[in-house]
Amino acid sequence: DVVMSQSPLSLPVTLGQPASISCRSSQSLVYSDGNTYLNWFQQRPGQSPRRLIYKVSNRDPGVPDRFSGSGSGTDFTLRISRVEAEDVGVYYCMQGTHWPRTFGQGTKVEIK
Amino acid sequence: QVQLVQSGVEVKKPGASVKVSCKASGYTFTNYGISWVRQAPGQGLEWMGWISAYNGNTIYAQRLQGRVTMTTDTSTSTAYMELRSLRSDDTAMYYCARDLNSNWYGGDTFDIWGRGTMVTVSS
Protein backbone atom coordinates (compact mmCIF):
# COMPACT_ATOMS: atom_id res chain seq x y z
CA ASP A 1 0.00 0.00 0.00
CA VAL A 2 1.10 3.58 -0.65
CA VAL A 3 1.95 5.29 2.62
CA MET A 4 1.02 8.98 2.87
CA SER A 5 3.03 10.94 5.45
CA GLN A 6 1.96 14.40 6.52
CA SER A 7 3.89 17.00 8.48
CA PRO A 8 3.47 18.66 10.79
CA LEU A 9 0.71 16.80 12.60
CA SER A 10 -0.16 19.91 14.60
CA LEU A 11 0.04 23.46 13.27
CA PRO A 12 -0.71 26.44 15.52
CA VAL A 13 -1.07 29.55 13.36
CA THR A 14 -1.67 33.24 14.00
CA LEU A 15 -4.71 34.71 12.26
CA GLY A 16 -3.72 36.34 8.99
CA GLN A 17 -0.45 34.44 8.77
CA PRO A 18 0.37 31.76 6.18
CA ALA A 19 0.34 28.02 6.84
CA SER A 20 1.86 25.13 4.96
CA ILE A 21 1.27 21.36 5.20
CA SER A 22 3.50 18.77 3.59
CA CYS A 23 2.38 15.38 2.27
CA ARG A 24 4.81 12.76 1.00
CA SER A 25 3.92 9.46 -0.66
CA SER A 26 5.95 6.26 -0.58
CA GLN A 27 5.51 5.85 -4.35
CA SER A 28 5.03 8.19 -7.26
CA LEU A 29 1.40 9.28 -7.65
CA VAL A 30 1.66 9.85 -11.41
CA TYR A 31 -0.94 7.65 -13.09
CA SER A 32 -0.54 6.02 -16.50
CA ASP A 33 -2.75 8.76 -18.03
CA GLY A 34 -0.21 11.39 -16.94
CA ASN A 35 -2.38 12.81 -14.15
CA THR A 36 -1.49 12.87 -10.48
CA TYR A 37 -4.48 12.00 -8.30
CA LEU A 38 -3.64 13.74 -5.07
CA ASN A 39 -6.51 15.30 -3.11
CA TRP A 40 -6.61 17.57 -0.06
CA PHE A 41 -9.54 17.55 2.36
CA GLN A 42 -10.59 19.83 5.18
CA GLN A 43 -12.54 18.42 8.13
CA ARG A 44 -13.98 21.02 10.45
CA PRO A 45 -14.98 19.91 13.96
CA GLY A 46 -18.13 17.79 13.85
CA GLN A 47 -18.35 17.80 10.06
CA SER A 48 -17.70 15.42 7.19
CA PRO A 49 -14.52 15.85 5.20
CA ARG A 50 -14.77 18.34 2.35
CA ARG A 51 -12.56 18.19 -0.71
CA LEU A 52 -10.55 21.38 -1.24
CA ILE A 53 -8.05 20.41 -3.91
CA TYR A 54 -7.96 17.66 -6.54
CA LYS A 55 -5.22 16.58 -8.95
CA VAL A 56 -2.60 18.37 -6.83
CA SER A 57 -3.55 21.96 -7.55
CA ASN A 58 -7.18 22.30 -8.71
CA ARG A 59 -9.45 24.09 -6.27
CA ASP A 60 -12.99 22.78 -5.88
CA PRO A 61 -15.88 25.21 -6.49
CA GLY A 62 -16.45 27.52 -3.55
CA VAL A 63 -13.00 26.98 -2.04
CA PRO A 64 -11.38 30.34 -1.19
CA ASP A 65 -8.38 31.25 -3.29
CA ARG A 66 -6.23 31.53 -0.16
CA PHE A 67 -5.97 27.71 -0.44
CA SER A 68 -3.48 26.38 -2.97
CA GLY A 69 -1.91 23.04 -3.73
CA SER A 70 1.38 22.23 -5.39
CA GLY A 71 3.87 19.44 -5.87
CA SER A 72 4.67 16.51 -8.08
CA GLY A 73 5.68 12.86 -7.97
CA THR A 74 5.88 12.07 -4.28
CA ASP A 75 6.05 15.48 -2.65
CA PHE A 76 3.03 17.75 -2.20
CA THR A 77 2.08 20.88 -0.27
CA LEU A 78 -1.12 22.59 0.79
CA ARG A 79 -0.77 26.29 1.53
CA ILE A 80 -3.12 28.73 3.18
CA SER A 81 -1.98 32.24 2.32
CA ARG A 82 -3.70 33.98 5.27
CA VAL A 83 -5.33 31.80 7.89
CA GLU A 84 -8.85 32.73 8.96
CA ALA A 85 -10.79 31.49 11.98
CA GLU A 86 -12.99 29.27 9.78
CA ASP A 87 -9.90 27.34 8.61
CA VAL A 88 -9.57 25.58 11.98
CA GLY A 89 -9.82 21.83 11.56
CA VAL A 90 -7.91 18.80 10.37
CA TYR A 91 -6.47 18.58 6.86
CA TYR A 92 -5.85 15.29 5.08
CA CYS A 93 -4.09 14.38 1.87
CA MET A 94 -5.29 11.31 -0.02
CA GLN A 95 -3.95 9.51 -3.04
CA GLY A 96 -6.37 8.21 -5.67
CA THR A 97 -3.75 6.87 -8.09
CA HIS A 98 -3.17 3.45 -6.56
CA TRP A 99 -5.46 0.88 -4.93
CA PRO A 100 -6.17 0.84 -2.06
CA ARG A 101 -6.86 4.57 -1.55
CA THR A 102 -4.79 5.85 1.33
CA PHE A 103 -4.94 8.94 3.51
CA GLY A 104 -2.32 10.90 5.40
CA GLN A 105 -2.55 10.94 9.20
CA GLY A 106 -4.06 14.43 9.23
CA THR A 107 -2.74 17.84 10.29
CA LYS A 108 -4.62 19.74 12.96
CA VAL A 109 -4.69 23.48 12.28
CA GLU A 110 -5.50 25.67 15.26
CA ILE A 111 -5.28 29.35 16.06
CA LYS A 112 -2.54 30.47 18.43
CA GLN B 1 -28.36 18.98 -5.80
CA VAL B 2 -25.80 16.19 -5.76
CA GLN B 3 -25.83 14.50 -2.38
CA LEU B 4 -25.35 11.28 -0.47
CA VAL B 5 -27.77 10.66 2.39
CA GLN B 6 -26.78 8.06 4.95
CA SER B 7 -28.82 6.02 7.38
CA GLY B 8 -29.05 6.81 11.08
CA VAL B 9 -27.16 6.01 14.25
CA GLU B 10 -26.55 2.35 15.08
CA VAL B 11 -25.75 0.72 18.42
CA LYS B 12 -24.68 -2.92 18.25
CA LYS B 13 -23.34 -5.59 20.56
CA PRO B 14 -19.99 -7.27 19.94
CA GLY B 15 -20.32 -10.09 17.44
CA ALA B 16 -23.34 -8.56 15.72
CA SER B 17 -23.55 -7.12 12.18
CA VAL B 18 -24.43 -3.65 10.95
CA LYS B 19 -25.63 -2.52 7.53
CA VAL B 20 -25.29 1.16 6.64
CA SER B 21 -26.97 2.70 3.62
CA CYS B 22 -25.98 5.62 1.41
CA LYS B 23 -28.62 6.99 -0.98
CA ALA B 24 -27.41 9.03 -3.92
CA SER B 25 -29.36 11.78 -5.64
CA GLY B 26 -28.72 14.53 -8.16
CA TYR B 27 -26.52 12.46 -10.48
CA THR B 28 -26.56 9.25 -12.51
CA PHE B 29 -25.73 6.64 -9.89
CA THR B 30 -24.28 4.07 -12.28
CA ASN B 31 -21.77 6.56 -13.70
CA TYR B 32 -19.83 6.44 -10.44
CA GLY B 33 -18.77 4.20 -7.60
CA ILE B 34 -18.89 4.58 -3.84
CA SER B 35 -16.04 4.33 -1.39
CA TRP B 36 -16.59 3.80 2.32
CA VAL B 37 -14.35 5.53 4.84
CA ARG B 38 -14.46 5.27 8.61
CA GLN B 39 -13.14 7.42 11.41
CA ALA B 40 -12.76 6.16 14.97
CA PRO B 41 -13.31 8.79 17.68
CA GLY B 42 -10.46 11.29 17.63
CA GLN B 43 -8.65 9.41 14.88
CA GLY B 44 -7.91 9.83 11.18
CA LEU B 45 -9.65 8.60 8.05
CA GLU B 46 -9.45 4.93 7.09
CA TRP B 47 -10.49 3.75 3.62
CA MET B 48 -12.59 0.58 3.89
CA GLY B 49 -13.35 -0.31 0.33
CA TRP B 50 -15.01 0.59 -2.97
CA ILE B 51 -17.86 -0.62 -5.10
CA SER B 52 -18.68 0.24 -8.68
CA ALA B 53 -22.32 1.22 -9.08
CA TYR B 54 -21.92 0.34 -12.77
CA ASN B 55 -21.09 -3.37 -12.45
CA GLY B 56 -20.85 -4.15 -8.71
CA ASN B 57 -17.10 -4.78 -8.74
CA THR B 58 -15.54 -4.35 -5.33
CA ILE B 59 -12.15 -3.77 -3.73
CA TYR B 60 -11.87 -4.13 0.04
CA ALA B 61 -9.18 -3.04 2.44
CA GLN B 62 -7.13 -6.10 3.30
CA ARG B 63 -7.64 -5.73 7.05
CA LEU B 64 -11.42 -5.93 6.62
CA GLN B 65 -11.49 -8.77 4.08
CA GLY B 66 -13.94 -11.43 5.15
CA ARG B 67 -15.90 -9.13 7.46
CA VAL B 68 -17.14 -6.45 5.04
CA THR B 69 -19.51 -6.63 2.10
CA MET B 70 -20.46 -3.69 -0.12
CA THR B 71 -23.46 -3.81 -2.40
CA THR B 72 -25.61 -1.47 -4.45
CA ASP B 73 -29.26 -1.30 -5.46
CA THR B 74 -29.37 0.60 -8.73
CA SER B 75 -33.19 0.76 -8.66
CA THR B 76 -33.00 3.04 -5.62
CA SER B 77 -29.51 4.52 -6.21
CA THR B 78 -28.41 3.21 -2.85
CA ALA B 79 -25.12 1.73 -1.71
CA TYR B 80 -24.80 -0.50 1.33
CA MET B 81 -21.92 -1.46 3.58
CA GLU B 82 -22.31 -4.45 5.88
CA LEU B 83 -19.74 -5.16 8.59
CA ARG B 84 -19.94 -8.44 10.51
CA SER B 85 -18.46 -9.82 13.72
CA LEU B 86 -18.35 -6.34 15.20
CA ARG B 87 -15.75 -5.49 17.82
CA SER B 88 -15.36 -2.49 20.08
CA ASP B 89 -12.69 -1.07 17.80
CA ASP B 90 -15.24 -0.90 14.98
CA THR B 91 -16.86 1.97 16.88
CA ALA B 92 -16.57 4.84 14.41
CA MET B 93 -18.26 7.30 12.12
CA TYR B 94 -18.81 5.64 8.76
CA TYR B 95 -18.84 7.81 5.64
CA CYS B 96 -19.67 7.11 2.02
CA ALA B 97 -18.02 9.16 -0.71
CA ARG B 98 -18.46 9.31 -4.46
CA ASP B 99 -15.72 7.52 -6.34
CA LEU B 100 -15.02 6.16 -9.84
CA ASN B 101 -17.15 3.47 -11.46
CA SER B 102 -14.08 1.47 -12.50
CA ASN B 103 -10.69 0.63 -11.07
CA TRP B 104 -9.23 0.51 -14.59
CA TYR B 105 -8.77 4.23 -15.04
CA GLY B 106 -8.00 7.31 -13.01
CA GLY B 107 -10.23 10.25 -12.29
CA ASP B 108 -11.45 12.78 -9.79
CA THR B 109 -12.72 11.17 -6.64
CA PHE B 110 -14.24 11.89 -3.24
CA ASP B 111 -15.88 15.13 -4.35
CA ILE B 112 -19.15 14.31 -2.54
CA TRP B 113 -19.42 12.87 0.96
CA GLY B 114 -22.30 11.74 3.10
CA ARG B 115 -22.78 13.21 6.56
CA GLY B 116 -21.74 10.00 8.24
CA THR B 117 -23.36 7.22 10.26
CA MET B 118 -22.20 6.70 13.83
CA VAL B 119 -21.84 3.04 14.73
CA THR B 120 -21.21 2.22 18.37
CA VAL B 121 -20.23 -1.31 19.39
CA SER B 122 -20.73 -1.93 23.09
CA SER B 123 -21.91 -4.70 25.36
Side-chain angles (χ1 to χ4, degrees):
Chain A
D1 297 2
V2 176
V3 177
M4 305 296 288
S5 301
Q6 289 183 229
S7 63
L9 299 185
S10 178
L11 185 55
V13 188
T14 301
L15 286 173
Q17 292 301 301
S20 180
I21 300 170
S22 170
C23 175
R24 289 193 168 90
S25 59
S26 61
Q27 300 176 32
S28 172
L29 299 186
V30 179
Y31 193 64
S32 54
D33 64 3
N35 289 308
T36 300
Y37 294 107
L38 186 281
N39 294 335
W40 287 98
F41 299 92
Q42 174 195 60
Q43 188 176 30
R44 290 174 172 148
Q47 295 187 13
S48 304
R50 166 200 180 196
R51 196 178 73 177
L52 298 176
I53 302 284
Y54 62 97
K55 282 192 296 189
V56 180
S57 60
N58 296 274
R59 262 191 311 274
D60 271 281
V63 174
D65 61 7
R66 63 179 181 275
F67 289 94
S68 64
S70 63
S72 62
T74 61
D75 206 342
F76 305 94
T77 302
L78 176 70
R79 290 187 176 86
I80 310 173
S81 58
R82 293 172 306 281
V83 171
E84 298 190 6
E86 66 178 19
D87 300 336
V88 164
V90 182
Y91 291 78
Y92 296 92
C93 59
M94 186 211 87
Q95 65 83 19
T97 295
H98 304 282
W99 295 88
R101 279 54 168 109
T102 46
F103 290 90
Q105 314 98 301
T107 295
K108 186 174 184 178
V109 171
E110 57 187 9
I111 305 301
K112 277 184 190 173
Chain B
Q1 74 276 28
V2 177
Q3 61 179 350
L4 298 171
V5 178
Q6 297 187 224
S7 49
V9 171
E10 300 271 8
V11 179
K12 297 291 183 181
K13 293 197 182 305
S17 299
V18 69
K19 192 169 186 177
V20 178
S21 68
C22 170
K23 184 174 174 58
S25 61
Y27 70 94
T28 302
F29 184 61
T30 51
N31 283 355
Y32 294 85
I34 294 287
S35 266
W36 290 89
V37 175
R38 69 179 181 178
Q39 185 173 37
Q43 301 302 307
L45 302 172
E46 177 190 7
W47 182 81
M48 300 178 66
W50 161 87
I51 182 165
S52 166
Y54 174 69
N55 57 16
N57 285 353
T58 54
I59 298 175
Y60 299 136
Q62 191 156 10
R63 67 187 298 240
L64 295 174
Q65 283 273 4
R67 286 208 300 139
V68 67
T69 301
M70 296 176 187
T71 56
T72 59
D73 180 345
T74 56
S75 69
T76 60
S77 298
T78 303
Y80 298 91
M81 185 284 299
E82 182 180 32
L83 190 60
R84 300 176 292 279
S85 301
L86 289 168
R87 310 187 290 245
S88 58
D89 62 355
D90 292 317
T91 293
M93 184 72 82
Y94 289 75
Y95 296 102
C96 58
R98 191 166 74 167
D99 203 332
L100 304 175
N101 71 2
S102 170
N103 60 318
W104 286 102
Y105 58 79
D108 297 330
T109 58
F110 290 71
D111 58 335
I112 307 295
W113 290 66
R115 297 181 71 171
T117 297
M118 186 66 210
V119 175
T120 300
V121 182
S122 174
S123 55

